[in-house]
Amino acid sequence: KQEVTQIPAALSVPEGENLVLNCSFTDSAIYNLQWFRQDPGKGLTSLLLIQSSQREQTSGRLNASLDKSSGRSTLYIAASQPGDSATYLCAVLNAGGTSYGKLTFGQGTILTVHP
Amino acid sequence: GAGVSQTPSNKVTEKGKYVELRCDPISGHTALYWYRQSLGQGPEFLIYFQGTGAADDSGLPNDRFFAVRPEGSVSTLKIQRTERGDSAVYLCASSLAGDSTYEQYFGPGTRLTVT
């Protein structure tokens, strides 16, 4: 059974800092990994999707890496801003069979960027 | 274009009552997913439809929960004899068949409160 863990559970940083969020998963047979952002009381916004054959994806100030063999992914946020404050969720899609439909999520990292 | 929509946005019901939650996927998306997110947790998979049929319903917690997608578009999640433990945000997502990334696009969710 796939399990996804995110560290830290919460993070508070001053504006302008570069930061790293960590995600680990127990079953390396994944098809892809997605990072999502969730604002309070809102749905999920996809930030980056990394296919299993890829090592990293970049979008603006965000960079996500994937090391499938070790079961790890990191989300790097450069020059953090107060508007980045949200919960960040990591999710993996397992490869094979009916599991293609099932994203397994971590519990999220609550990020607060203070001015 | 329009994203995934869910109605109602909020639903308060009494213990023991029946509720229906609706999801309208992105037009043309053949795959549809339901997840449940309890407070402070990541979303948990409930059920996945490919077209009209449920490809994987392994996440439904018990037989009080049922979902349908009769015409392969709109889906309804039905909960009978609601319990206080059913209180959560119910998220719906859809994805496009033939998209090799299997990226899932999420709606804003329905917040269900059982009193």
Side-chain angles (χ1 to χ4, degrees):
Chain A
K1 178 188 171 187
Q2 180 72 270
E3 293 182 359
V4 180
T5 303
Q6 291 187 245
I7 295 173
L11 183 62
S12 181
V13 299
E15 182 177 6
E17 275 206 3
N18 303 323
L19 55 98
V20 174
L21 309 182
N22 296 291
C23 172
S24 61
F25 45 95
T26 55
D27 183 351
S28 62
I30 66 168
Y31 190 80
N32 66 38
L33 182 146
Q34 277 185 268
W35 282 94
F36 294 90
R37 169 187 173 134
Q38 187 172 35
D39 292 287
K42 304 292 186 183
L44 276 61
T45 301
S46 181
L47 298 173
L48 291 163
L49 182 148
I50 311 176
Q51 303 242 68
S52 62
S53 58
Q54 297 174 324
R55 296 285 292 183
E56 66 177 337
Q57 284 285 339
T58 298
S59 176
R61 295 182 293 108
L62 306 180
N63 175 276
S65 67
L66 173 64
D67 184 341
K68 198 174 79 158
S69 61
S70 69
R72 295 179 188 276
S73 176
T74 61
L75 179 67
Y76 176 83
I77 303 177
S80 58
Q81 303 170 357
D84 295 331
S85 299
T87 297
Y88 290 80
L89 292 157
C90 166
V92 299
L93 187 68
N94 272 63
T98 59
S99 294
Y100 273 122
K102 180 179 177 178
L103 281 173
T104 303
F105 284 83
Q107 290 190 314
T109 294
I110 302 172
L111 173 64
T112 303
V113 181
H114 47 89
Chain B
V4 177
S5 62
Q6 293 186 245
T7 54
S9 55
N10 282 282
K11 176 72 177 178
V12 180
T13 191
E14 293 180 349
K15 180 176 179 294
K17 298 290 188 182
Y18 168 84
V19 296
E20 291 189 350
L21 312 179
R22 176 188 169 108
C23 172
D24 278 88
I26 293 172
S27 178
H29 281 196
T30 58
L32 184 146
Y33 317 81
W34 284 99
Y35 295 84
R36 177 169 72 171
Q37 186 175 26
S38 300
L39 192 63
Q41 304 294 316
E44 293 182 319
F45 171 81
L46 295 176
I47 186 169
Y48 152 49
F49 287 90
Q50 187 61 259
T52 60
D56 184 353
D57 64 358
S58 62
L60 295 177
N62 52 59
D63 61 6
R64 295 187 298 105
F65 288 74
F66 190 71
V68 296
R69 196 185 184 201
E71 298 178 356
S73 177
V74 170
S75 175
T76 304
L77 178 66
K78 308 180 181 196
I79 310 174
Q80 298 178 322
R81 306 183 303 280
T82 51
E83 299 177 356
R84 292 194 180 89
D86 299 335
S87 296
V89 176
Y90 289 81
L91 295 165
C92 176
S94 68
S95 67
L96 180 63
D99 177 358
S100 62
T101 68
Y102 289 87
E103 183 168 5
Q104 296 184 20
Y105 298 84
F106 281 78
T110 293
R111 181 174 299 277
L112 175 66
T113 304
V114 181
T115 62

